Amino acid sequence: MKLFIRAIGLLALIWLAMLFTGYGVLTGSTKNAAGLGLQCSYLTARGLISAQYLHTDSGVVGVTDCPLLKKSGEVIDN
């Protein structure tokens, strides 16, 4: 029971940190536009957001994979 309460407390702390900083964690990605676009979904404290990136396999132009963390445009302390 103690472990369960600590896990819930840790999740609440992570949620509060995401709420005040505005960062989101990557939840999924899909390729679109004939493989040239990459759509990434992020879970933030305020919900899901999506971001579009230019995608190439080499990474010279655009990104090869979605970034793990992304700062959203909406932050609670603005």
Side-chain angles (χ1 to χ4, degrees):
M1 187 64 167
K2 225 180 207 186
L3 182 64
F4 180 71
I5 292 172
R6 286 184 183 171
I8 296 296
L10 181 63
L11 287 175
L13 186 65
I14 290 171
W15 182 81
L16 282 173
M18 287 172 46
L19 181 66
F20 287 114
T21 61
Y23 277 94
V25 179
L26 179 67
T27 58
S29 64
T30 57
K31 289 184 182 178
N32 55 10
L36 293 176
L38 188 62
Q39 182 175 6
C40 307
S41 299
Y42 293 92
L43 176 66
T44 65
R46 294 184 160 225
L48 287 172
I49 61 169
S50 62
Q52 298 279 343
Y53 294 102
L54 182 62
H55 170 71
T56 57
D57 289 330
S58 64
V60 174
V61 176
V63 296
T64 56
D65 293 322
C66 293
L68 183 61
L69 297 174
K70 174 167 178 29
K71 187 161 180 96
S72 67
E74 295 179 17
V75 181
I76 196 167
D77 61 352
N78 280 347

